[in-house]
mmCIF file of all heavy atoms in Angstrom:
data_model
loop_
_atom_site.group_PDB
_atom_site.id
_atom_site.type_symbol
_atom_site.label_atom_id
_atom_site.label_comp_id
_atom_site.label_asym_id
_atom_site.label_seq_id
_atom_site.Cartn_x
_atom_site.Cartn_y
_atom_site.Cartn_z
ATOM 1 N N PRO F 1 -29.967 64.451 40.350
ATOM 2 C CA PRO F 1 -30.687 63.581 39.406
ATOM 3 C C PRO F 1 -31.051 64.234 38.078
ATOM 4 O O PRO F 1 -31.399 63.530 37.121
ATOM 5 C CB PRO F 1 -31.949 63.187 40.182
ATOM 6 C CG PRO F 1 -32.144 64.279 41.189
ATOM 7 C CD PRO F 1 -30.760 64.703 41.580
ATOM 8 N N ASP F 2 -30.985 65.561 37.981
ATOM 9 C CA ASP F 2 -31.413 66.234 36.755
ATOM 10 C C ASP F 2 -30.267 66.648 35.843
ATOM 11 O O ASP F 2 -30.482 67.276 34.800
ATOM 12 C CB ASP F 2 -32.270 67.459 37.105
ATOM 13 C CG ASP F 2 -33.559 67.074 37.811
ATOM 14 O OD1 ASP F 2 -34.041 65.942 37.578
ATOM 15 O OD2 ASP F 2 -34.067 67.875 38.607
ATOM 16 N N VAL F 3 -29.045 66.299 36.217
ATOM 17 C CA VAL F 3 -27.890 66.704 35.410
ATOM 18 C C VAL F 3 -27.877 66.018 34.053
ATOM 19 O O VAL F 3 -27.561 66.632 33.031
ATOM 20 C CB VAL F 3 -26.584 66.427 36.178
ATOM 21 C CG1 VAL F 3 -25.377 66.497 35.240
ATOM 22 C CG2 VAL F 3 -26.421 67.437 37.309
ATOM 23 N N LEU F 4 -28.201 64.728 34.008
ATOM 24 C CA LEU F 4 -28.092 63.981 32.754
ATOM 25 C C LEU F 4 -28.879 64.643 31.629
ATOM 26 O O LEU F 4 -28.359 64.809 30.516
ATOM 27 C CB LEU F 4 -28.563 62.539 32.951
ATOM 28 C CG LEU F 4 -28.611 61.678 31.681
ATOM 29 C CD1 LEU F 4 -27.257 61.612 31.006
ATOM 30 C CD2 LEU F 4 -29.129 60.287 32.004
ATOM 31 N N ALA F 5 -30.116 65.026 31.888
ATOM 32 C CA ALA F 5 -30.944 65.611 30.828
ATOM 33 C C ALA F 5 -30.347 66.919 30.313
ATOM 34 O O ALA F 5 -30.356 67.186 29.102
ATOM 35 C CB ALA F 5 -32.361 65.842 31.346
ATOM 36 N N LEU F 6 -29.804 67.731 31.224
ATOM 37 C CA LEU F 6 -29.217 69.002 30.800
ATOM 38 C C LEU F 6 -27.904 68.773 30.063
ATOM 39 O O LEU F 6 -27.622 69.435 29.053
ATOM 40 C CB LEU F 6 -28.997 69.907 32.015
ATOM 41 C CG LEU F 6 -28.521 71.325 31.720
ATOM 42 C CD1 LEU F 6 -29.469 72.053 30.773
ATOM 43 C CD2 LEU F 6 -28.366 72.124 33.014
ATOM 44 N N LEU F 7 -27.091 67.838 30.535
ATOM 45 C CA LEU F 7 -25.818 67.572 29.875
ATOM 46 C C LEU F 7 -26.043 67.022 28.466
ATOM 47 O O LEU F 7 -25.303 67.361 27.530
ATOM 48 C CB LEU F 7 -24.995 66.590 30.709
ATOM 49 C CG LEU F 7 -23.562 66.381 30.239
ATOM 50 C CD1 LEU F 7 -22.759 67.675 30.318
ATOM 51 C CD2 LEU F 7 -22.883 65.289 31.069
ATOM 52 N N ARG F 8 -27.062 66.191 28.296
ATOM 53 C CA ARG F 8 -27.379 65.688 26.955
ATOM 54 C C ARG F 8 -27.718 66.827 26.000
ATOM 55 O O ARG F 8 -27.280 66.844 24.848
ATOM 56 C CB ARG F 8 -28.544 64.701 27.024
ATOM 57 C CG ARG F 8 -28.159 63.308 27.463
ATOM 58 C CD ARG F 8 -29.377 62.414 27.549
ATOM 59 N NE ARG F 8 -29.014 61.029 27.801
ATOM 60 C CZ ARG F 8 -29.878 60.111 28.188
ATOM 61 N NH1 ARG F 8 -31.165 60.431 28.394
ATOM 62 N NH2 ARG F 8 -29.485 58.870 28.390
ATOM 63 N N ARG F 9 -28.510 67.772 26.476
ATOM 64 C CA ARG F 9 -28.859 68.929 25.647
ATOM 65 C C ARG F 9 -27.596 69.684 25.234
ATOM 66 O O ARG F 9 -27.431 70.044 24.066
ATOM 67 C CB ARG F 9 -29.767 69.894 26.422
ATOM 68 C CG ARG F 9 -31.152 69.423 26.722
ATOM 69 C CD ARG F 9 -31.918 70.513 27.462
ATOM 70 N NE ARG F 9 -32.163 71.648 26.597
ATOM 71 C CZ ARG F 9 -33.299 71.876 25.942
ATOM 72 N NH1 ARG F 9 -34.300 71.022 26.070
ATOM 73 N NH2 ARG F 9 -33.435 72.933 25.167
ATOM 74 N N ASN F 10 -26.737 69.938 26.209
ATOM 75 C CA ASN F 10 -25.557 70.759 25.936
ATOM 76 C C ASN F 10 -24.541 70.027 25.067
ATOM 77 O O ASN F 10 -23.866 70.645 24.237
ATOM 78 C CB ASN F 10 -24.949 71.235 27.249
ATOM 79 C CG ASN F 10 -25.801 72.297 27.912
ATOM 80 O OD1 ASN F 10 -26.527 73.023 27.244
ATOM 81 N ND2 ASN F 10 -25.733 72.377 29.232
ATOM 82 N N ALA F 11 -24.429 68.729 25.239
ATOM 83 C CA ALA F 11 -23.547 67.962 24.364
ATOM 84 C C ALA F 11 -24.051 68.005 22.923
ATOM 85 O O ALA F 11 -23.272 68.196 21.982
ATOM 86 C CB ALA F 11 -23.435 66.524 24.858
ATOM 87 N N ALA F 12 -25.357 67.862 22.745
ATOM 88 C CA ALA F 12 -25.928 67.910 21.396
ATOM 89 C C ALA F 12 -25.728 69.283 20.764
ATOM 90 O O ALA F 12 -25.457 69.388 19.559
ATOM 91 C CB ALA F 12 -27.414 67.557 21.448
ATOM 92 N N LEU F 13 -25.858 70.352 21.545
ATOM 93 C CA LEU F 13 -25.669 71.705 21.024
ATOM 94 C C LEU F 13 -24.266 71.907 20.473
ATOM 95 O O LEU F 13 -24.057 72.725 19.568
ATOM 96 C CB LEU F 13 -25.907 72.735 22.138
ATOM 97 C CG LEU F 13 -27.333 73.167 22.430
ATOM 98 C CD1 LEU F 13 -27.359 74.059 23.659
ATOM 99 C CD2 LEU F 13 -27.922 73.889 21.229
ATOM 100 N N ASN F 14 -23.295 71.168 21.009
ATOM 101 C CA ASN F 14 -21.892 71.374 20.657
ATOM 102 C C ASN F 14 -21.292 70.208 19.886
ATOM 103 O O ASN F 14 -20.069 70.141 19.730
ATOM 104 C CB ASN F 14 -21.088 71.635 21.935
ATOM 105 C CG ASN F 14 -21.469 72.949 22.587
ATOM 106 O OD1 ASN F 14 -20.988 73.999 22.196
ATOM 107 N ND2 ASN F 14 -22.354 72.891 23.577
ATOM 108 N N ASP F 15 -22.154 69.308 19.394
ATOM 109 C CA ASP F 15 -21.664 68.127 18.666
ATOM 110 C C ASP F 15 -20.554 67.425 19.450
ATOM 111 O O ASP F 15 -19.534 67.020 18.887
ATOM 112 C CB ASP F 15 -21.151 68.515 17.273
ATOM 113 C CG ASP F 15 -22.265 69.034 16.370
ATOM 114 O OD1 ASP F 15 -23.365 68.455 16.419
ATOM 115 O OD2 ASP F 15 -22.033 70.007 15.643
ATOM 116 N N ALA F 16 -20.765 67.305 20.744
ATOM 117 C CA ALA F 16 -19.779 66.689 21.623
ATOM 118 C C ALA F 16 -20.291 65.348 22.139
ATOM 119 O O ALA F 16 -21.502 65.160 22.316
ATOM 120 C CB ALA F 16 -19.468 67.616 22.798
ATOM 121 N N VAL F 17 -19.373 64.439 22.376
ATOM 122 C CA VAL F 17 -19.721 63.136 22.941
ATOM 123 C C VAL F 17 -19.181 63.078 24.364
ATOM 124 O O VAL F 17 -17.974 63.201 24.587
ATOM 125 C CB VAL F 17 -19.124 61.988 22.104
ATOM 126 C CG1 VAL F 17 -19.423 60.640 22.762
ATOM 127 C CG2 VAL F 17 -19.664 62.025 20.678
ATOM 128 N N ILE F 18 -20.088 62.924 25.324
ATOM 129 C CA ILE F 18 -19.709 62.826 26.731
ATOM 130 C C ILE F 18 -20.471 61.647 27.344
ATOM 131 O O ILE F 18 -21.704 61.600 27.259
ATOM 132 C CB ILE F 18 -20.046 64.113 27.509
ATOM 133 C CG1 ILE F 18 -19.254 65.299 26.943
ATOM 134 C CG2 ILE F 18 -19.750 63.942 28.999
ATOM 135 C CD1 ILE F 18 -19.618 66.638 27.562
ATOM 136 N N ALA F 19 -19.760 60.713 27.916
ATOM 137 C CA ALA F 19 -20.394 59.597 28.617
ATOM 138 C C ALA F 19 -20.692 60.041 30.047
ATOM 139 O O ALA F 19 -19.817 60.587 30.724
ATOM 140 C CB ALA F 19 -19.471 58.383 28.616
ATOM 141 N N TYR F 20 -21.917 59.809 30.493
ATOM 142 C CA TYR F 20 -22.319 60.286 31.820
ATOM 143 C C TYR F 20 -22.685 59.114 32.723
ATOM 144 O O TYR F 20 -23.338 58.153 32.293
ATOM 145 C CB TYR F 20 -23.511 61.221 31.707
ATOM 146 C CG TYR F 20 -24.006 61.718 33.058
ATOM 147 C CD1 TYR F 20 -23.378 62.778 33.688
ATOM 148 C CD2 TYR F 20 -25.074 61.096 33.705
ATOM 149 C CE1 TYR F 20 -23.799 63.225 34.933
ATOM 150 C CE2 TYR F 20 -25.495 61.529 34.948
ATOM 151 C CZ TYR F 20 -24.854 62.596 35.557
ATOM 152 O OH TYR F 20 -25.274 63.026 36.795
ATOM 153 N N HIS F 21 -22.267 59.218 33.988
ATOM 154 C CA HIS F 21 -22.663 58.258 35.013
ATOM 155 C C HIS F 21 -22.993 59.045 36.282
ATOM 156 O O HIS F 21 -22.194 59.884 36.699
ATOM 157 C CB HIS F 21 -21.536 57.270 35.327
ATOM 158 C CG HIS F 21 -21.128 56.426 34.170
ATOM 159 N ND1 HIS F 21 -21.716 55.218 33.882
ATOM 160 C CD2 HIS F 21 -20.201 56.620 33.211
ATOM 161 C CE1 HIS F 21 -21.168 54.706 32.800
ATOM 162 N NE2 HIS F 21 -20.243 55.537 32.371
ATOM 163 N N PRO F 22 -24.148 58.794 36.898
ATOM 164 C CA PRO F 22 -24.409 59.454 38.178
ATOM 165 C C PRO F 22 -23.407 58.978 39.213
ATOM 166 O O PRO F 22 -23.003 57.807 39.206
ATOM 167 C CB PRO F 22 -25.834 59.010 38.530
ATOM 168 C CG PRO F 22 -26.041 57.759 37.750
ATOM 169 C CD PRO F 22 -25.230 57.883 36.506
ATOM 170 N N GLY F 23 -22.975 59.891 40.071
ATOM 171 C CA GLY F 23 -22.001 59.482 41.076
ATOM 172 C C GLY F 23 -21.713 60.589 42.053
ATOM 173 O O GLY F 23 -21.964 61.760 41.781
ATOM 174 N N ASP F 24 -21.176 60.210 43.208
ATOM 175 C CA ASP F 24 -20.933 61.136 44.306
ATOM 176 C C ASP F 24 -19.549 60.858 44.878
ATOM 177 O O ASP F 24 -19.153 59.695 45.029
ATOM 178 C CB ASP F 24 -22.002 60.919 45.382
ATOM 179 C CG ASP F 24 -22.079 62.045 46.389
ATOM 180 O OD1 ASP F 24 -21.005 62.563 46.781
ATOM 181 O OD2 ASP F 24 -23.190 62.404 46.793
ATOM 182 N N VAL F 25 -18.816 61.933 45.210
ATOM 183 C CA VAL F 25 -17.479 61.746 45.795
ATOM 184 C C VAL F 25 -17.541 61.050 47.147
ATOM 185 O O VAL F 25 -16.522 60.552 47.627
ATOM 186 C CB VAL F 25 -16.730 63.088 45.940
ATOM 187 C CG1 VAL F 25 -16.441 63.702 44.585
ATOM 188 C CG2 VAL F 25 -17.492 64.058 46.830
ATOM 189 N N ALA F 26 -18.713 61.002 47.756
ATOM 190 C CA ALA F 26 -18.846 60.308 49.030
ATOM 191 C C ALA F 26 -18.633 58.803 48.879
ATOM 192 O O ALA F 26 -18.396 58.104 49.864
ATOM 193 C CB ALA F 26 -20.214 60.567 49.649
ATOM 194 N N ASP F 27 -18.710 58.293 47.653
ATOM 195 C CA ASP F 27 -18.537 56.862 47.400
ATOM 196 C C ASP F 27 -17.517 56.659 46.282
ATOM 197 O O ASP F 27 -17.868 56.342 45.145
ATOM 198 C CB ASP F 27 -19.879 56.228 47.022
ATOM 199 C CG ASP F 27 -19.830 54.703 47.010
ATOM 200 O OD1 ASP F 27 -18.719 54.144 47.135
ATOM 201 O OD2 ASP F 27 -20.894 54.083 46.877
ATOM 202 N N PRO F 28 -16.218 56.861 46.579
ATOM 203 C CA PRO F 28 -15.193 56.755 45.529
ATOM 204 C C PRO F 28 -15.111 55.383 44.889
ATOM 205 O O PRO F 28 -14.790 55.265 43.712
ATOM 206 C CB PRO F 28 -13.896 57.129 46.249
ATOM 207 C CG PRO F 28 -14.184 56.977 47.697
ATOM 208 C CD PRO F 28 -15.641 57.247 47.869
ATOM 209 N N GLU F 29 -15.414 54.336 45.652
ATOM 210 C CA GLU F 29 -15.375 52.988 45.070
ATOM 211 C C GLU F 29 -16.395 52.868 43.946
ATOM 212 O O GLU F 29 -16.098 52.310 42.879
ATOM 213 C CB GLU F 29 -15.660 51.942 46.159
ATOM 214 C CG GLU F 29 -14.654 51.915 47.287
ATOM 215 C CD GLU F 29 -13.278 51.483 46.813
ATOM 216 O OE1 GLU F 29 -13.200 50.736 45.820
ATOM 217 O OE2 GLU F 29 -12.284 51.908 47.430
ATOM 218 N N ALA F 30 -17.608 53.378 44.172
ATOM 219 C CA ALA F 30 -18.635 53.321 43.140
ATOM 220 C C ALA F 30 -18.261 54.196 41.947
ATOM 221 O O ALA F 30 -18.538 53.843 40.795
ATOM 222 C CB ALA F 30 -19.983 53.768 43.715
ATOM 223 N N LEU F 31 -17.617 55.341 42.209
ATOM 224 C CA LEU F 31 -17.184 56.211 41.112
ATOM 225 C C LEU F 31 -16.193 55.489 40.209
ATOM 226 O O LEU F 31 -16.324 55.513 38.979
ATOM 227 C CB LEU F 31 -16.533 57.478 41.665
ATOM 228 C CG LEU F 31 -17.404 58.654 42.064
ATOM 229 C CD1 LEU F 31 -16.530 59.836 42.459
ATOM 230 C CD2 LEU F 31 -18.354 59.048 40.947
ATOM 231 N N VAL F 32 -15.199 54.859 40.800
ATOM 232 C CA VAL F 32 -14.189 54.165 40.010
ATOM 233 C C VAL F 32 -14.813 52.985 39.270
ATOM 234 O O VAL F 32 -14.476 52.709 38.112
ATOM 235 C CB VAL F 32 -13.020 53.695 40.906
ATOM 236 C CG1 VAL F 32 -12.041 52.830 40.121
ATOM 237 C CG2 VAL F 32 -12.297 54.899 41.490
ATOM 238 N N ALA F 33 -15.757 52.313 39.915
ATOM 239 C CA ALA F 33 -16.412 51.173 39.265
ATOM 240 C C ALA F 33 -17.180 51.605 38.023
ATOM 241 O O ALA F 33 -17.209 50.881 37.018
ATOM 242 C CB ALA F 33 -17.349 50.485 40.251
ATOM 243 N N SER F 34 -17.808 52.781 38.068
ATOM 244 C CA SER F 34 -18.616 53.229 36.925
ATOM 245 C C SER F 34 -17.821 54.027 35.905
ATOM 246 O O SER F 34 -18.107 53.970 34.706
ATOM 247 C CB SER F 34 -19.809 54.061 37.411
ATOM 248 O OG SER F 34 -19.385 55.217 38.109
ATOM 249 N N LEU F 35 -16.810 54.772 36.362
ATOM 250 C CA LEU F 35 -16.071 55.659 35.469
ATOM 251 C C LEU F 35 -14.711 55.123 35.056
ATOM 252 O O LEU F 35 -14.168 55.535 34.027
ATOM 253 C CB LEU F 35 -15.864 57.020 36.147
ATOM 254 C CG LEU F 35 -17.116 57.833 36.469
ATOM 255 C CD1 LEU F 35 -16.758 59.012 37.364
ATOM 256 C CD2 LEU F 35 -17.792 58.329 35.206
ATOM 257 N N GLY F 36 -14.132 54.244 35.858
ATOM 258 C CA GLY F 36 -12.760 53.839 35.616
ATOM 259 C C GLY F 36 -11.806 54.940 36.056
ATOM 260 O O GLY F 36 -12.123 55.741 36.935
ATOM 261 N N THR F 37 -10.634 54.993 35.442
ATOM 262 C CA THR F 37 -9.654 56.029 35.780
ATOM 263 C C THR F 37 -9.352 56.851 34.532
ATOM 264 O O THR F 37 -9.711 56.475 33.419
ATOM 265 C CB THR F 37 -8.365 55.408 36.327
ATOM 266 O OG1 THR F 37 -7.836 54.494 35.350
ATOM 267 C CG2 THR F 37 -8.631 54.673 37.632
ATOM 268 N N ALA F 38 -8.676 57.982 34.733
ATOM 269 C CA ALA F 38 -8.455 58.903 33.618
ATOM 270 C C ALA F 38 -7.071 59.521 33.687
ATOM 271 O O ALA F 38 -6.429 59.564 34.743
ATOM 272 C CB ALA F 38 -9.520 60.001 33.625
ATOM 273 N N ASP F 39 -6.642 60.036 32.531
ATOM 274 C CA ASP F 39 -5.375 60.771 32.456
ATOM 275 C C ASP F 39 -5.495 62.142 33.113
ATOM 276 O O ASP F 39 -4.532 62.657 33.682
ATOM 277 C CB ASP F 39 -4.968 60.970 30.995
ATOM 278 C CG ASP F 39 -4.892 59.665 30.235
ATOM 279 O OD1 ASP F 39 -4.085 58.810 30.634
ATOM 280 O OD2 ASP F 39 -5.651 59.498 29.264
ATOM 281 N N VAL F 40 -6.696 62.740 32.990
ATOM 282 C CA VAL F 40 -6.944 64.066 33.553
ATOM 283 C C VAL F 40 -8.274 64.031 34.288
ATOM 284 O O VAL F 40 -9.292 63.615 33.721
ATOM 285 C CB VAL F 40 -6.980 65.164 32.465
ATOM 286 C CG1 VAL F 40 -7.202 66.540 33.095
ATOM 287 C CG2 VAL F 40 -5.706 65.148 31.623
ATOM 288 N N VAL F 41 -8.286 64.463 35.543
ATOM 289 C CA VAL F 41 -9.510 64.525 36.346
ATOM 290 C C VAL F 41 -9.782 65.987 36.667
ATOM 291 O O VAL F 41 -8.913 66.702 37.174
ATOM 292 C CB VAL F 41 -9.370 63.704 37.652
ATOM 293 C CG1 VAL F 41 -10.651 63.780 38.464
ATOM 294 C CG2 VAL F 41 -9.035 62.246 37.321
#
């Protein structure tokens, strides 16, 4: 639950844009629903 706050800090430090969604590999259906699919995982 605390990853989002740290990732926001680190993205800001590097002028990077990263979209974040909480998720767990135990629920791949929910992961795909929130993240979609990608060219590189």
